[in-house]
Amino acid sequence: MPDTARSGRYSVFAIAREALRQHKGWNRAWASPEPRDRYKVIVVGAGGHGLATAYYLGKNFGITDVAVLDKGWLGGGNTGRNTTIIRSNYLQDPSAAIYDKALKLYEGLSQDLNYNVMFSPRGLIMLAQTEHEVRGYKRTVYANNLQGVSTEWIDAQRLKELVPIINIDGPRYPVLGGLYQERGGTARHDAVAWGYARACSDMGMHIIQNCEVTGVETEGGQVRAVNTSKGRIGCEKLAMVVAGHSSQLAEMAGFRLPIESVALQALVSEPIKPCMDVVVMANTVHGYLSQSDKGEMVIGGGTDHFNNFTQRGSWHHVEETVRALVETFPMIGRLKMLRQWGGIVDMTGDRSPILSTTPVGGVFVNCGWGTGGFKAIPGSGWAMAELVAKGRPGPLAADFGLDRFREGRFIDESVAAGVAH
Amino acid sequence: MLILTCPHCGIQAEETELHNGGEAHLKRVGPDGSDEEFEGYMFARRNPRGVHLERWRHAYGCGKWFIAARCTVTLQVFGTYAAQTTTPPDHIVQAVRAARPDWNPTEEGASE
Amino acid sequence: MAEHLARISPVTDLGMIALRGDLAAIADAAGMAAPDRTGIATDGPRSLAWMSPDEALLILPAPQTPEAVEALTLALDGQHALVADVSDARAVFDVIGPGAADVIAKLAPVDAAAMPQGHLRRTRMAQVATAIWRIEGGFRVIGFRSTGDYLGLILRNAAIAGSGLAPR
Ligand SMILES: Cc1cc2nc3c(=O)[nH]c(=O)nc-3n(C[C@H](O)[C@H](O)[C@H](O)COP(=O)(O)OP(=O)(O)OC[C@H]3O[C@@H](n4cnc5c(N)ncnc54)[C@H](O)[C@@H]3O)c2cc1C
Ligand SMILES: [Zn+2]
C-alpha cells in the first residue's frame, strides 16, 4: 500500500464507470501507511472525535502533517457501538452552541466529505412522563428558543400522531407530552468514522491502526513524542481523544482527569417493517428507541454504575430497559432481540465534555462526552482543531476547559442527558 | 453480574442489591483547603484499568458501607473489607498481589 | 387445572419495632436471645431479627406493640439507642405452598430453596426492598407499605399456576 493513495471522488459517474469494468477500479477508502518518525500533530484515538479533529485541522487550518493513531481499528470504540441519536436540545448555552454547531455540520456532512453518512433528520421526541419532566422540558424549550435552537413542546395527542405505536396511557407513567426537535435524528455511525477517515487520508494524513500508545514523552513540561506498539513517534502537539481510556492517557502524561469510565450498552431486535419514523427517548423509565434503515429496533438504556472497562454490559440492565420500553411500546414485547453489546464511556461530574489544554505543554484533551457524544462529533472536531491549532480554545470550546472543575463553573447537563444516549 | 460479599453481614450480594460509591480512601479536604485540593478531592479520580479500591453500600441489605478490591477489566474480586480503614488491610493486599504481583497499594492510599 | 405455586396471603396482625444501638443490650432489653448475624430468633409469639450490625427488628402480635415499645424505651433509657414502632410502615405477605421457593427465586436474587431456617435475608424483589425468612410451609416476606400493592401484585403474578422453574 503506498504511503498516500487517493480514494477518488465518489459520484454517479464513478459508479457508472466502475459498473462497466466489474468494479475493479475502486481505490481503498484510506491508506494504511507505516508511521513516520514524527508529525506536527498526533491525534490518539481514531473514533469520530479524533478523526473529525484531524479533518478540521486540515480543512480549517491547513495542518496536514497529522497522524491519527488507534490501538484497534478505526471507529471500533464507542463511535461504532453507539445508538446514533443526534439532537441539540440541551439546556445550557455553551452546550447548545457546540451541539447545534455539530447538528448544522451533520446537515451538510455527506456533501462536505463526499461520503454518504446517511444523516436522517427524522425528528426526535423526549417523552415527558411526570409533571416534573413536563416543567423541565418546557423550560428547555424556552431556553432553546433563546439560544436559536428550534425545539417545541408537543402534547400527548400530537405525539400519538407522530408515533402511532406508542401507548400514551401507560400503567406506571402515562405520556403527558414531549420535547420535540424536528431537526434531530440519526446517522450511520460507521459511515461517519469512515467518511472522516477517507477525507483525512485524501489530505495526506496518516491513519495508523493497531498502534497503541503506551507512553507520553515530555521534556521541560512539553510533549516530545509518544511511545507506541509501533515504536517512538515524535510530535509537536498531542491531542488525546480516547473517550473511556482518557484517564490512562492522562496518567501516561502525568496528570489526572475528572473522568470515570463505565460500561454503557445497547441492543437491537430482529428487523421488522417500518413502524416508527422518529427517535423516541423515555428518560423517566430509562430507555430509548429508534428504527434503523434495516428495520431493526435500536434500543438503549442506562449505564453500569461502577468503574468498568469490560465493553460488555450486564443482563439486568437489558431486563430493566426492555421492561421500561414494553410499557410504553407494547408491540415490541413480541420482538426477538438479535444482538447486545457495550462500550466504555467517559463520565464527568457535570455530564458535559472536556475540551482543554492540560498541565503538559502541547497536550490537549477532548473527552467526557460520556453517553452522548456521537451527535457532537463534527462540532467537537471543529472546536478541537481550533484548540490544537492555536493552542488556546476558541468560542465553542472556551467554557469546556478543565479549569471549570477547580472554579466550580459547571455546565450542568444532568437533566438534558437524563438517559444515556 | 458482579457479586460481592458484604463484610458486615456476610451476604453474597449481587450488583442490583448494592450501590457503588466510587473510589475509596480519598482524603477529605477541610475548609482550609485550596481550590486545587478541593478539585482533587471532588473530581480527580484514578479510574484505573485494573485493580480498583472502591466504596460500596449494601443498599438493599444491611445498609452499611464497605470497600471492595476489584479489577475493572476482568471483574475479578480480590476481597472486601470494612469502610472504617484508611488503607487496605494486609490480607487484601496479599490477595491482590497473588494475582497482580506488581500492584502497589501505597499508590492507592496516596490519592490526592 | 394446575395448582398455583403458592398461596399469597397478606398478614395484617403483626407489630414491628425497629431497634438501633448495641445489639446485646437490645436483646437484653427485649428479654430475648440475641440473633446471630442475619439470623432471626423466635421465642413463642415474638421474633427478634438481625437487620444490620446495629439494628434489630422485633416482630410480635400487634396488640402487644404499644406496651413493648414502652418497656423497651424504658429498658434502653440512658443508652445510645432508638426504639421506633414501624408496624404501620410495613406490608407483610406469607408465601405458602410447594412452589414457594420458586416464587421467591423469580423475584429476588436469592437461592430461596437453599435458604436455611432461622435466616433472614434482606434483599429486593423486582424493584422494591424486602426481607424474607422461612416459616412453616413457605416464606414470610416483609416490605414497605408504600410499595405493598406492588409487592402483592408481583408475588401473585410469580405464583401463577404452571409457571414453576423446573423444566417441564
Ligand atoms: C451503547 C452506546 C450508545 C450510545 N448512544 C449514543 C447516541 O445515541 N447518541 C450519541 O450522541 N452518543 C451516543 N453514545 C456516545 C458516543 O458513542 C460517544 O460519546 C462517542 O462515540 C465518542 O467518540 P470518541 O471518538 O470520543 O471515542 P471512541 O469512538 O471510543 O474512540 C476512541 C478510540 O481511542 C482508541 N484508544 C484508546 N486508548 C488508546 C491508546 N492507548 N492508543 C491508541 N488508541 C487508543 C480506541 O481504540 C478508540 O477507537 C453511545 C455510546 C455507547 C457505548
Ligand atoms: Zn451487608
Side-chain angles (χ1 to χ4, degrees):
Chain A
M1 198 89 238
D3 200 53
T4 49
R6 301 255 156 191
S7 62
R9 217 184 139 67
Y10 295 159
S11 68
V12 62
F13 304 109
I15 293 175
R17 186 188 67 230
E18 290 304 324
L20 294 176
R21 50 178 184 185
Q22 272 87 46
H23 293 283
K24 284 183 185 144
W26 294 112
N27 289 324
R28 300 241 170 186
W30 54 82
S32 297
E34 285 305 310
R36 287 201 292 267
D37 286 350
R38 61 176 294 113
Y39 297 87
K40 187 174 169 68
V41 178
I42 288 180
V43 178
V44 190
H49 289 260
L51 291 164
T53 299
Y55 175 70
Y56 295 111
L57 272 172
K59 183 176 158 141
N60 295 353
F61 299 95
I63 301 173
T64 57
D65 183 12
V66 177
V68 186
L69 315 181
D70 201 288
K71 67 174 177 177
W73 65 96
L74 75 86
N78 295 340
T79 299
R81 295 165 185 270
N82 84 97
T83 48
T84 75
I85 295 179
I86 296 175
R87 61 187 180 90
S88 64
N89 55 352
Y90 282 70
L91 182 62
Q92 311 291 347
D93 292 350
S95 324
I98 196 162
Y99 286 106
D100 207 52
K101 172 74 181 176
L103 180 49
K104 285 183 180 132
L105 289 169
Y106 261 124
E107 284 163 351
L109 197 60
S110 294
Q111 288 71 25
D112 186 30
L113 297 179
N114 177 233
Y115 198 96
N116 187 1
V117 300
M118 297 167 73
F119 176 60
S120 163
R122 56 184 69 182
L124 170 132
I125 302 172
M126 293 166 105
L127 303 182
Q129 292 178 288
T130 61
E131 288 298 334
H132 173 81
E133 255 182 329
V134 171
R135 280 198 296 274
Y137 288 149
K138 285 187 173 165
R139 177 178 175 216
T140 305
V141 169
Y142 299 140
N144 289 161
N145 288 349
L146 291 171
Q147 291 151 349
V149 176
S150 53
T151 59
E152 61 183 298
W153 168 259
I154 56 174
D155 64 17
Q157 286 318 314
R158 173 89 197 285
L159 209 150
K160 177 81 184 165
E161 282 158 25
L162 288 166
V163 194
I165 66 168
I166 208 166
N167 173 19
I168 56 174
D169 317 307
R172 266 199 308 176
Y173 295 110
V175 175
L176 305 172
L179 169 60
Y180 182 39
Q181 185 170 27
E182 209 175 347
R183 292 162 61 223
T186 60
R188 173 80 201 279
H189 48 14
D190 295 323
V192 172
W194 296 338
Y196 275 119
R198 172 172 166 268
C200 288
S201 184
D202 278 354
M203 283 191 275
M205 296 178 182
H206 282 184
I207 295 161
I208 303 164
Q209 307 183 68
N210 299 313
C211 179
E212 177 167 4
V213 172
T214 53
V216 176
E217 197 183 303
T218 60
E219 194 186 308
Q222 191 71 29
V223 65
R224 286 282 168 262
V226 290
N227 295 313
T228 77
S229 51
K230 297 196 177 201
R232 179 187 183 277
I233 311 176
C235 65
E236 221 172 277
K237 294 179 176 183
L238 179 65
M240 299 176 170
V241 198
V242 292
H245 295 86
S246 297
S247 302
Q248 281 61 48
L249 261 291
E251 196 184 352
M252 292 175 202
F255 58 93
R256 265 185 201 184
L257 289 171
I259 292 276
E260 302 212 54
S261 301
V262 296
L264 174 66
Q265 65 183 323
L267 56 155
V268 294
S269 76
E270 59 190 327
I272 52 172
K273 291 246 165 76
C275 66
M276 195 177 88
D277 60 359
V278 282
V279 181
V280 180
M281 305 175 60
N283 292 354
T284 290
V285 296
H286 251 90
Y288 55 88
L289 190 68
S290 68
Q291 188 169 23
S292 76
D293 292 345
K294 281 186 284 182
E296 302 156 327
M297 301 309 285
V298 181
I299 296 173
T303 58
D304 281 354
H305 292 283
F306 50 88
N307 297 49
N308 192 340
F309 290 84
T310 57
Q311 283 199 151
R312 268 206 309 251
S314 44
W315 167 250
H316 71 90
H317 275 299
V318 173
E319 203 179 4
E320 185 187 302
T321 305
V322 170
R323 176 172 55 213
L325 288 176
V326 167
E327 274 185 28
T328 313
F329 303 92
M331 63 159 270
I332 69 166
R334 291 294 179 95
L335 295 182
K336 295 185 189 71
M337 292 301 146
L338 277 193
R339 291 191 304 281
Q340 173 272 357
W341 65 91
I344 302 305
V345 296
D346 39 342
M347 308 298 282
T348 59
D350 60 0
R351 298 293 180 264
S352 283
I354 295 166
L355 288 120
S356 187
T357 55
T358 71
V360 181
V363 175
F364 306 88
V365 287
N366 177 343
C367 62
W369 294 97
T371 61
F374 176 73
K375 62 179 70 63
I377 284 171
S380 158
W382 186 283
M384 186 67 181
E386 182 171 5
L387 173 62
V388 173
K390 296 182 178 165
R392 54 177 198 288
L396 280 179
D399 289 300
F400 293 103
L402 276 169
D403 47 2
R404 77 174 187 271
F405 295 95
R406 189 175 59 245
E407 294 166 8
R409 221 173 8 80
F410 310 119
I411 305 169
D412 186 357
E413 290 293 357
S414 46
V415 174
V419 71
H421 42 272
Chain B
M1 186 62 69
L2 188 62
I3 295 175
L4 300 175
T5 303
C6 170
H8 300 291
C9 64
I11 294 286
Q12 286 196 353
E14 61 117 278
E15 196 176 321
T16 62
E17 303 178 270
L18 301 165
H19 171 80
N20 180 278
E23 187 176 330
H25 303 308
L26 294 177
K27 211 166 114 221
R28 202 178 264 277
V29 173
D32 298 333
S34 66
D35 286 357
E36 284 73 19
E37 284 169 330
F38 263 108
E39 181 193 11
Y41 168 59
M42 300 280 287
F43 301 107
R45 292 293 175 265
R46 295 185 59 247
N47 191 26
R49 231 176 154 271
V51 181
H52 194 217
L53 305 180
E54 59 192 7
R55 300 162 71 230
W56 287 87
R57 185 171 167 260
H58 192 185
Y60 277 109
C62 71
K64 298 294 179 200
W65 286 94
F66 64 91
I67 299 176
R70 181 180 64 89
C71 175
T72 60
V73 180
T74 61
L75 299 196
Q76 179 178 359
V77 177
F78 304 106
T80 55
Y81 54 100
Q84 289 76 12
T85 57
T86 50
T87 47
D90 278 348
H91 72 277
I92 295 289
V93 175
Q94 237 100 86
V96 177
R97 283 224 173 119
R100 312 285 158 89
D102 295 339
W103 183 66
N104 186 357
T106 54
E107 273 175 24
E108 301 286 328
S111 34
E112 306 95 315
Chain C
M1 242 320 256
E3 286 289 298
H4 287 297
L5 302 190
R7 201 177 59 249
I8 313 296
S9 28
V11 182
T12 51
D13 55 356
L14 285 183
M16 282 180 225
I17 303 171
L19 297 154
R20 286 200 98 125
D22 177 65
L23 288 189
I26 285 170
D28 233 27
M32 299 195 47
D36 294 337
R37 195 165 77 151
T38 69
I40 176 165
T42 302
D43 186 1
R46 296 190 178 192
S47 301
L48 189 63
W50 191 98
M51 301 299 275
S52 93
D54 58 1
E55 184 182 348
L57 184 71
L58 181 63
I59 304 161
L60 69 178
Q64 300 177 12
T65 313
E67 207 177 301
V69 169
E70 220 176 282
L72 281 160
T73 311
L74 214 64
L76 290 166
D77 187 35
Q79 300 193 39
H80 184 66
L82 173 112
V83 179
D85 179 357
V86 294
S87 314
D88 289 343
R90 294 291 150 84
V92 186
F93 295 91
D94 280 354
V95 182
I96 307 285
D102 278 8
V103 175
I104 305 293
K106 281 193 216 176
L107 297 169
V110 169
D111 185 355
M115 212 165 111
Q117 187 81 38
H119 168 64
L120 175 140
R121 176 71 145 94
R122 297 183 71 175
T123 182
R124 67 171 178 93
M125 288 186 126
Q127 306 190 66
V128 295
T130 55
I132 307 163
W133 65 95
R134 272 193 192 277
I135 54 171
E136 186 70 37
F139 298 87
R140 179 160 282 176
V141 175
I142 61 175
F144 289 107
R145 168 155 308 208
S146 54
T147 56
D149 286 353
Y150 175 82
L151 191 54
L153 190 87
I154 57 174
L155 282 167
R156 284 191 299 277
N157 190 48
I160 286 175
S163 70
L165 295 178
R168 269 159 286 175

